[in-house]
Amino acid sequence: MAGPKTRVETAEQEAAEWHMRLGERRVSTETLEAFFAWRAVPENDDAYRRVETVWAASGALAGDAAIAAAVAEAMDRRRSGRTRFGSPRTVFGAAAAVTAAVVLGLAGWGWWSGRGVVSTAVGEQRVVQLADGSEVRLDTGSAIRVRFSEGQRRIELERGQALFEVAHDASRPFVVSAGETEVTAVGTVFDVRRVDGGARVTLVSGVVDVVREPTAAPARMRAGQQVEATRSGVRTRAVDVTTATSWAEGRIVFEDEPLASAVAEVNRYLTAPIVLEAGALADTPVNGVFRTGDREAFAASAADGLGLRTSVRPDGSLLLSRRTNN
């Protein structure tokens, strides 16, 4: 029977191999499903986060000898063809440019103890440790306003998206407002995004209450649920939280997403966006995992898989259009 040390070493080796596997240009849907199933095991999730943290911090895994050795071994195994993962069947629905590194333009990590606005530029992420021990990860083009008092910890999400890991303090509720929507927690992990005049809330762990209007009854959320709070009301559904919060690890996951919507999501991380020509398969569903900010990889996959043409326009934007027969 394997002891704890052996299990940790095995998990780190497997995490390194997954890191290499997901770094390939094309990854199949089957591989992604296998990865998410593997990562559902707590020991594996911890190991993968260690690999990603060290990779992001050092750029070369020099900060952790054990993980660096595991990745080096994984690379050797891939070169010799002995890796345990089989060759993927690749289509655009599964093709993806994936990396375990955090989002391009990561602004870094810091403390925030006062009142004021914390923001990110387009294509940038920022992790902030609040004075109460809570942690906030801001996505691209986002801004929060911190307002702590003796009786309440309040965050206003002025724009964009943020993932909150709330330190437990029963005497001071943690309230996130996004327009007319308020999310109240004590100690939990949840994601909030401003969308279409409302907000989308994804609960990773714990319990939160969501209120769309001050006079409305709160909607109690459980882990694994997502709430869409709009002018028409509050709608709750079950989601895969790993997929829903993949942006926090520098990835965008598409599952049967219309191409036009996928392009819009990719563009959130770009200063020079992708433009989809009118009628160019806008409603075609696509699947895949892409690195945030990697415009060329997404466009190349769309072109290869859907028979589209890519061209860079004078203003720097990239046009996806139908191919013409000469």
Side-chain angles (χ1 to χ4, degrees), residues 51-71:
V51 169
E52 288 191 307
T53 298
V54 176
W55 181 276
S58 69
L61 297 180
D64 190 303
I67 293 177
V71 172

Side-chain angles (χ1 to χ4, degrees), residues 99-281:
T99 172
V102 293
V103 65
L104 295 176
L106 179 66
W109 180 97
W111 288 91
W112 187 262
S113 57
R115 298 185 180 189
V117 176
V118 186
S119 63
T120 56
V122 174
E124 177 186 39
Q125 279 188 355
R126 185 174 182 182
V127 181
V128 178
Q129 187 85 20
L130 302 180
D132 69 330
S134 298
E135 183 179 286
V136 183
R137 179 182 290 271
L138 278 73
D139 198 11
T140 175
S142 301
I144 61 170
R145 185 178 296 275
V146 182
R147 300 180 183 276
F148 278 15
S149 66
E150 291 185 2
Q152 186 182 79
R153 297 169 290 171
R154 175 172 286 272
I155 304 290
E156 296 175 10
L157 180 61
E158 298 187 340
R159 65 176 185 273
Q161 184 168 12
L163 181 68
F164 300 89
E165 186 169 348
V166 180
H168 183 83
D169 185 348
S171 65
R172 283 202 304 169
F174 192 99
V175 180
V176 176
S177 61
E180 297 178 5
T181 303
E182 283 196 351
V183 184
T184 303
V186 174
T188 186
V189 180
F190 62 96
D191 178 284
V192 183
R193 177 172 171 175
R194 298 288 297 263
V195 289
D196 301 328
R200 178 185 301 150
V201 183
T202 304
L203 184 57
V204 178
S205 65
V207 177
V208 300
D209 288 330
V210 178
V211 176
R212 171 63 187 174
E213 298 175 354
T215 58
R220 174 63 56 92
M221 290 184 66
R222 304 290 180 183
Q225 291 183 331
Q226 185 176 84
V227 160
E228 293 273 0
T230 64
R231 292 184 178 89
S232 60
V234 176
R235 182 171 60 91
T236 303
R237 67 186 182 109
V239 295
D240 181 332
V241 295
T242 302
T243 298
T245 61
S246 60
W247 66 267
E249 296 179 347
R251 300 187 189 89
I252 308 173
V253 180
F254 297 127
E255 296 180 345
D256 293 328
E257 189 77 17
L259 178 60
S261 298
V263 168
E265 185 66 18
V266 171
N267 282 343
R268 293 180 62 232
Y269 299 87
L270 303 176
T271 54
I274 296 172
V275 177
L276 184 62
E277 183 183 59
L281 305 177

Side-chain angles (χ1 to χ4, degrees), residues 18-73:
W18 275 117
H19 189 281
M20 297 303 300
R21 182 60 167 166
L22 297 180
E24 292 182 349
R25 179 175 174 79
R26 296 181 181 270
V27 183
S28 72
T29 300
E30 291 84 356
T31 298
L32 294 175
E33 290 174 349
F35 168 68
F36 289 134
W38 173 85
R39 193 166 180 181
V41 177
E43 292 89 344
N44 295 343
D45 182 63
D46 291 342
Y48 197 80
R49 288 183 184 277
R50 288 195 297 273
V51 169
E52 288 191 307
T53 298
V54 176
W55 181 276
S58 69
L61 297 180
D64 190 303
I67 293 177
V71 172
E73 182 179 340

